[in-house]
Amino acid sequence: MIIGVDFDGTLSLGEWPACGPANLGLIKYLNKRKAKGDKLILWTCREGADLRNAVRFCKENGLEFHAVNDNVPETIAKYGNNSRKITCDYYIDDRMSAKKIRLANFVAKYKF
């Protein structure tokens, strides 16, 4: 499974352009999914120094990605190209409205 996850308001619960505080519940969940073999993509509007800061922030909080604002290599190989839109099975974003997955559930379930 491939999971695309947003940064601002999702992994980072502060106000842009700051990084933090970390959504430790979501980070814990994503690391469990990664340990089961799922691929993680950071999917964010950040670029340049702001993007580098976000990636560093995630790494400092124990989360590393298979791709950042890009498709994973397996998807590129499968389709023979790399479209601008990432291919994921699930997207996790603070603006999502899915009934099955809610950001608040991650925080409540995996809170330290």
Side-chain angles (χ1 to χ4, degrees):
M1 180 165 44
I2 302 172
I3 301 171
V5 61
D6 181 39
F7 184 75
D8 292 291
T10 306
L11 288 166
S12 172
L13 299 176
E15 295 293 322
W16 184 91
C19 294
N23 184 341
L24 297 175
L26 179 55
I27 290 170
K28 184 176 179 181
Y29 171 80
L30 291 170
N31 277 321
K32 284 183 178 186
R33 298 303 318 170
K34 187 176 177 183
K36 292 183 180 203
D38 293 344
K39 304 291 183 181
L40 305 179
I41 299 175
L42 178 61
W43 185 239
T44 178
C45 292
R46 287 178 177 242
E47 60 184 11
D50 290 325
L51 177 59
R52 289 188 296 278
N53 290 338
V55 171
R56 182 174 45 250
F57 173 83
C58 289
K59 186 174 184 177
E60 289 170 354
N61 282 281
L63 183 62
E64 295 189 57
F65 301 93
H66 295 91
V68 175
N69 286 343
D70 202 359
N71 285 296
V72 295
E74 298 93 314
T75 299
I76 297 167
K78 178 178 179 180
Y79 294 107
N81 65 43
N82 190 10
S83 69
R84 292 182 304 138
K85 182 177 179 182
I86 60 168
T87 301
C88 290
D89 299 294
Y90 291 99
Y91 295 89
I92 301 175
D93 192 294
D94 60 312
R95 297 179 185 258
M96 70 183 184
S97 61
K99 291 182 180 178
K100 289 184 179 179
I101 302 176
R102 295 219 178 261
L103 187 57
N105 291 341
F106 289 121
V107 175
K109 185 174 180 181
Y110 295 99
K111 199 170 193 171
F112 294 121

